[in-house]
Amino acid sequence: MTLRRYLGMALLAAGSLAAQNTVTPQRLLEASKEPGNWLTYSGDYSSHRYSGLAKITPANVKGLGLAWVYQSPVAGSWEATPLVVDGVMYITQRPNDVVALDAATGRVFWSYRYNNLEDPRVCCGANNRGLGVLGDTLFMGTLDASLVALDRHNGHLLWKTRVAEAKAGYSITVAPLVVKDKVIVGVGGGEWGIRGFIAAYSAATGKELWRFYTVPGPGEPGHETWLPCPTDSKEYCDPEAWKHGGASVWVTGSYDPATNLTYWGTGNAGPDYNPVQRPGDNLYTASVVALDTDTGKLRWHYQFTPGDRYDYDAVQVPVLADIQFQGKPVKAMLWANRNGNYYVLDRVTGKFLLGKPFIKVNWMSGFDTNGRPIQTPQPVGQPTYPGLQGGTNWYSPSYSPRTGLMYFPIWEDQAIVFSRIPVAYREGNGFGGGGFQPFVPSVGDPKKGIPTAAGVPNLRRGPINDWTDAAGHGAMLAVDPATGEPKWKFSMTDVTDVGAVTTASDLLFTGGREGYMQVLHARTGELLWKRNLGAQMLNSPITFEAGGKQYVAVMAGLGLFVFGLPE
Amino acid sequence: MALTVIAQQPVMQEHPEAYPKADIQYGARLYGEHCDRCHGANGAGVSGVNLASGKFRSATTDGQLKMVITNGFPTAGMPPFRFDTADLTGLVAWLRNMNSIDRGSMKAGDPARGRAIFEGKAACGSCHRVNGKGSRKGPDLSDIGTLRSAGYFERILVDPNGQLLPINRPVHVVTREGKAVDGRRLNEDTYTVQMVDGEGHLQSFVKANLREFRISTKSAMTSYRGELQPDELADLVAYMLTLKGVL
């Protein structure tokens, strides 16, 4: 006998207004065909951060107004990108909360709090950059290096898998990449002496399916780039440097269904600033790796900064675009790197096609025929360009197939004086191996910096820009993807940690540390609209539809601001 | 000043009859599993401590008792225990009643039989979800055994209206276009309401756009009184107490 339950509901299954269909692998493959949603960290697998929406236009954008705001109850920088699935927005907030909101009103359906172990060690705050989705399930990495799966309709925990040991400095801040039946994540901890890896987990069960160590072990290709210590070394050298060699992964990669490769950028070698104790190129740090999505096997790699001594990382979003390069069609990977160079690689073979500085660089003077940078380390005490934060960083770029331009935020004229000290690895302890001092040129003697003193600008600060443009400034740059030639530049007084989204109406949404959300014309860089949101922006805007209306969402301070046109 | 006033309040001793039988039963079981190896079946196993006396040196209220169990007395050899709400509620109910009830006479429900009833005769999954299976119309019960108590389960199974949490009240709306949607309330403000619909999907409505908007105080769940025998209800409660979520 089956008893009758929930009589009223059974009669009215007619219900659903916004059809909420399961997110199939096919929907993820064709995410760009449903621009009303935002189904992956970068909008689609090719990471264009380009939306087919076009209701907000250069002509009507002046009417853009505030639709709603969601305030995070947790203080600290907010680096997450939301997902939007059929009218429901899913966000993460510090440290590992997940919240489901009505995308049209901002009202909360449910929230979930993950209780981290007491172990997490993170270099740069309790950040989480977002979620992955498949079927009816959301996936999130946690600060204590676990991966969790939640029922996206009610926020209940479905499974939890421990990925790595938090007390050894491992964490997960990256938004997972979901491909087919797999959830792919990498681990953070480049400042704690981890041995980085990228791993895939079963979306259904959380079981680990493959793991690729971004620092190869003995016998594996690439291990030979962790050279033996010289017998006559006068400085401390670590004979087992690879064991805590870094190459963390904390920004979401891309996927090309044609090659079945997934592409990920890797972080700095460990320790960050002292290459003497880890001689060699230190593969696969500061590199892009192309992995077979089914097996995790390495297909190719390219190292942007061999033997990285500047913490340049290569933690950017790989942009996959089919472009004309020197008169021929190329399946390209476009990459504006933190080290100040813009790159074009062949994403099928990994071949280096182009490298070109987009800002002042002095750590290298050019490339050899193999695409290896010719490094020019600066004398002790002298500034290195770009500085620690790089020419750009993890902030999402955008590629518009309409304009044919590549867009990315840049830091210009910003330098650091790096220093190195030996550091022995101890589990759970910081593993920097040196330091850095922002460089502010003296008037009349630009090679000489204003001495360190209270008040000398630091990398982090409050709402007053006491750094000023003397120590560098930000801009949004548009380049020809095939040549790296600048097409336009929108300059800001302060720097920017904000990526971009472009639209089918040739708008570009971005922001900056000053707290302005800015809408630019994607073809000219002309400023069309701006609003002061009152706090630093630290993520990249997205655009989506709810109830047939286009919105733009961005986080500033503790606020998630959503804008739309008037009714 | 305020603190002084609170400290001078007379402490209310809970009456034994206030403790649901299901909590006492559950607590007796937990006591047997976790406590009686030191405190003994009669509660007098630790020198100078007689749990069955109904008087506790370090706790007067139920809340204080729960704190003692949770924090333990490490210096006296009692470790802290990580019990959830259901466990603590049961343990306290048993401690308050162990002087008048023989543990051997307590007949606890059987979780395995309860699961069979949950998934079969009682058809709980037609509205509730457990570990990824079942409907999302009603609240997900995957970790309900950590959040509620045995007594609560016993009550709601026979009196769903009386135990219905206000947030879970059924919502009925008809849109301006004439579409009717029924569901369970998840959130509400002056202008909007959020709910999960009959298909288990999240829906949000602007009230000004609705032709009809009603919230019922009557649970969408009907009573199992008379539909399940007392033993079956006890089995169901025992099963629900095992739903501790993903650990």
Side-chain angles (χ1 to χ4, degrees):
Chain A
M1 181 180 76
T2 298
L3 302 180
R4 67 201 187 284
R5 299 288 115 199
Y6 271 84
L7 300 175
M9 281 191 180
L11 294 171
L12 286 153
S16 188
L17 292 189
Q20 289 171 22
N21 300 314
T22 191
V23 179
T24 59
Q26 193 64 25
R27 279 184 79 184
L28 292 175
L29 267 178
E30 299 178 341
S32 60
K33 290 184 181 170
E34 42 180 302
N37 290 321
W38 195 269
L39 298 178
T40 72
Y41 179 74
S42 295
D44 66 11
Y45 281 146
S46 57
S47 301
H48 286 182
R49 264 185 183 266
Y50 166 84
S51 167
L53 297 180
K55 288 177 181 168
I56 303 172
T57 68
N60 66 22
V61 70
K62 284 190 169 47
L64 209 57
L66 186 64
W68 54 265
V69 180
Y70 170 83
Q71 295 280 354
S72 167
V74 190
S77 61
W78 203 358
E79 299 185 357
T81 289
L83 297 181
V84 178
V85 187
D86 303 330
V88 181
M89 176 182 285
Y90 302 98
I91 59 171
T92 62
Q93 67 193 15
R94 287 182 168 219
N96 284 118
D97 291 359
V98 184
V99 184
L101 308 140
D102 174 32
T105 64
R107 298 300 295 177
V108 174
F109 289 115
W110 56 256
S111 62
Y112 164 82
R113 171 152 294 178
Y114 176 83
N115 292 312
N116 278 287
L117 301 173
E118 292 173 1
D119 295 334
R121 290 153 170 76
V122 282
C123 70
C124 314
N127 297 309
N128 180 278
R129 297 190 182 81
L131 301 157
V133 65
L134 181 70
D136 296 311
T137 308
L138 299 169
F139 306 94
M140 173 177 66
T142 68
L143 291 180
D144 62 4
S146 287
L147 181 64
V148 296
L150 304 179
D151 184 326
R152 73 180 172 95
H153 300 295
N154 62 28
H156 269 257
L157 183 64
L158 297 174
W159 53 254
K160 171 185 167 180
T161 295
R162 173 149 302 283
V163 172
E165 288 302 318
K167 65 181 185 329
Y170 290 85
S171 59
I172 302 178
T173 59
V174 64
L177 179 72
V178 179
V179 181
K180 302 179 194 174
D181 59 350
K182 296 180 181 64
V183 185
I184 307 173
V185 293
V187 288
E191 277 66 48
W192 302 90
I194 66 156
R195 181 187 176 203
F197 62 86
I198 300 161
Y201 296 84
S202 161
T205 66
K207 184 186 169 204
E208 185 170 307
L209 301 173
W210 55 253
R211 178 179 290 209
F212 171 77
Y213 278 100
T214 48
V215 177
E220 294 176 322
H223 186 71
E224 70 283 357
T225 66
W226 295 80
L227 296 177
C229 287
T231 51
D232 59 347
S233 179
K234 291 190 177 65
E235 290 190 43
Y236 170 67
C237 182
D238 182 354
E240 295 192 310
W242 66 274
K243 284 188 176 173
H244 19 266
S248 55
V249 175
W250 45 276
V251 168
T252 307
S254 305
Y255 170 65
D256 182 358
T259 57
N260 197 36
L261 295 178
T262 182
Y263 306 97
W264 294 77
T266 64
N268 58 278
D272 302 47
Y273 309 110
N274 189 4
V276 176
Q277 69 180 73
R278 47 170 169 83
D281 283 354
N282 307 142
L283 287 176
Y284 300 99
T285 65
S287 302
V288 53
V289 293
L291 308 179
D292 183 292
T293 304
D294 296 330
T295 65
K297 299 276 185 242
L298 180 72
R299 187 74 65 83
W300 60 258
H301 76 277
Y302 174 77
Q303 190 174 39
F304 298 97
T305 312
D308 179 13
R309 62 181 67 189
Y310 313 105
D311 191 12
Y312 279 158
D313 292 330
V315 181
Q316 286 84 40
V317 175
V319 176
L320 315 183
D322 297 343
I323 62 169
Q324 288 290 318
F325 184 83
Q326 296 178 352
K328 291 180 187 161
V330 169
K331 288 182 175 300
M333 175 181 292
L334 314 179
W335 197 299
N337 193 281
R338 184 167 164 181
N339 71 16
N341 291 297
Y342 171 78
Y343 295 84
V344 181
L345 305 177
D346 182 320
R347 72 173 182 268
V348 179
T349 64
K351 187 182 174 193
F352 170 89
L353 299 177
L354 176 79
K356 182 182 168 67
F358 55 84
I359 50 155
K360 174 181 178 178
V361 301
N362 68 0
W363 69 274
M364 49 87 79
S365 58
F367 293 92
D368 69 16
T369 51
N370 295 317
R372 182 184 175 86
I374 299 158
Q375 296 208 36
T376 52
Q378 298 302 298
V380 172
Q382 289 301 301
T384 298
Y385 289 84
L388 176 67
Q389 288 293 97
T392 185
N393 206 310
W394 60 274
Y395 333 123
S396 291
S398 176
Y399 170 77
S400 166
R402 259 178 70 89
T403 64
L405 297 179
M406 168 82 167
Y407 307 90
F408 48 94
I410 63 173
W411 285 31
E412 293 186 295
D413 300 326
Q414 198 260 327
I416 289 280
V417 177
F418 290 97
S419 58
R420 70 166 191 265
I421 52 172
V423 56
Y425 172 77
R426 279 197 201 93
E427 182 178 283
N429 284 11
F431 198 53
F436 52 88
Q437 176 64 38
F439 178 81
V440 185
S442 299
V443 174
D445 189 357
K447 284 195 170 179
K448 190 177 166 192
I450 297 172
T452 304
V456 168
N458 208 333
L459 285 172
R460 298 182 191 278
R461 57 161 187 275
I464 295 176
N465 183 4
D466 56 1
W467 179 337
T468 83
D469 56 346
H473 59 273
M476 179 58 66
L477 186 68
V479 303
D480 179 329
T483 64
E485 283 298 320
K487 289 297 178 184
W488 57 255
K489 184 169 80 176
F490 178 83
S491 294
M492 305 169 218
T493 299
D494 206 340
V495 293
T496 173
D497 310 273
V498 187
V501 61
T502 51
T503 70
S505 52
D506 291 341
L507 293 178
L508 183 148
F509 297 88
T510 190
R513 194 176 275 197
E514 293 163 345
Y516 288 102
M517 175 179 166
Q518 295 158 138
V519 186
L520 311 179
H521 200 298
R523 292 188 185 276
T524 64
E526 179 193 357
L527 177 67
L528 301 173
W529 184 94
K530 69 175 191 302
R531 272 306 172 277
N532 181 0
L533 303 185
Q536 178 179 358
M537 292 165 63
L538 259 167
N539 70 343
S540 305
I542 65 162
T543 184
F544 61 93
E545 271 190 343
K549 184 174 168 178
Q550 185 183 357
Y551 296 94
V552 181
V554 68
M555 287 145 176
L558 304 186
L560 164 63
F561 295 84
V562 175
F563 294 90
L565 294 172
E567 296 294 337
Chain B
M1 185 62 195
L3 283 174
T4 310
V5 171
I6 289 167
Q8 289 172 350
Q9 292 280 330
V11 177
M12 300 300 291
Q13 176 76 42
E14 280 85 350
H15 297 286
E17 62 270 26
Y19 298 95
K21 195 173 131 209
D23 281 329
I24 300 170
Q25 282 175 334
Y26 183 51
R29 201 192 92 201
L30 292 176
Y31 183 89
E33 291 170 1
H34 299 280
C35 311
D36 77 356
R37 73 188 68 159
C38 293
H39 284 286
N42 62 359
V46 174
S47 174
V49 178
N50 183 2
L51 298 179
S53 69
K55 291 181 181 161
F56 308 96
R57 262 187 297 177
S58 305
T60 307
T61 65
D62 285 1
Q64 289 166 338
L65 261 178
K66 289 176 182 175
M67 278 183 65
V68 166
I69 297 168
T70 303
N71 297 332
F73 281 112
T75 52
M78 176 173 164
F81 285 88
R82 291 186 67 178
F83 287 117
D84 57 40
T85 299
D87 298 341
L88 289 169
T89 304
L91 279 167
V92 168
W94 170 243
L95 290 174
R96 294 292 190 195
N97 288 279
M98 67 187 294
N99 60 351
S100 58
I101 299 175
D102 173 18
R103 185 148 59 95
S105 72
M106 302 287 288
K107 191 184 169 208
D110 179 74
R113 282 202 306 267
R115 179 173 181 173
I117 295 165
F118 188 99
E119 293 173 352
K121 184 176 179 181
C124 304
S126 63
C127 293
H128 294 287
R129 199 166 177 86
V130 172
N131 298 330
K133 287 182 187 158
S135 168
R136 297 185 183 88
K137 285 187 280 190
D140 191 307
L141 302 182
S142 301
D143 57 356
I144 200 71
T146 67
L147 304 172
R148 304 281 184 266
S149 64
Y152 178 86
F153 297 141
E154 195 175 54
R155 289 193 298 273
I156 198 167
L157 287 168
V158 296
D159 180 21
N161 290 335
Q163 303 301 314
L164 177 66
L165 295 177
I167 185 61
N168 289 331
R169 285 178 182 167
V171 182
H172 171 76
V173 302
V174 179
T175 66
R176 211 178 264 165
E177 296 76 28
K179 189 151 195 172
V181 185
D182 280 59
R184 171 170 53 92
R185 181 166 63 175
L186 298 174
N187 197 0
E188 185 182 358
D189 62 28
T190 308
Y191 310 102
T192 72
V193 63
Q194 287 73 40
M195 57 193 252
V196 54
D197 70 15
E199 295 173 35
H201 293 157
L202 302 173
Q203 301 287 359
S204 178
F205 297 97
V206 175
K207 292 178 186 176
N209 295 337
L210 296 175
R211 198 189 286 171
E212 283 182 45
F213 172 53
R214 284 201 311 271
I215 295 177
S216 170
T217 55
K218 194 177 169 203
S219 176
M221 177 168 151
T222 55
S223 171
Y224 283 95
R225 193 191 302 276
E227 302 207 33
L228 292 177
Q229 298 306 308
D231 281 356
E232 293 175 315
L233 286 170
D235 291 341
L236 205 44
V237 169
Y239 170 61
M240 292 169 80
L241 285 165
T242 68
L243 301 178
K244 302 293 191 186
V246 176
L247 298 175

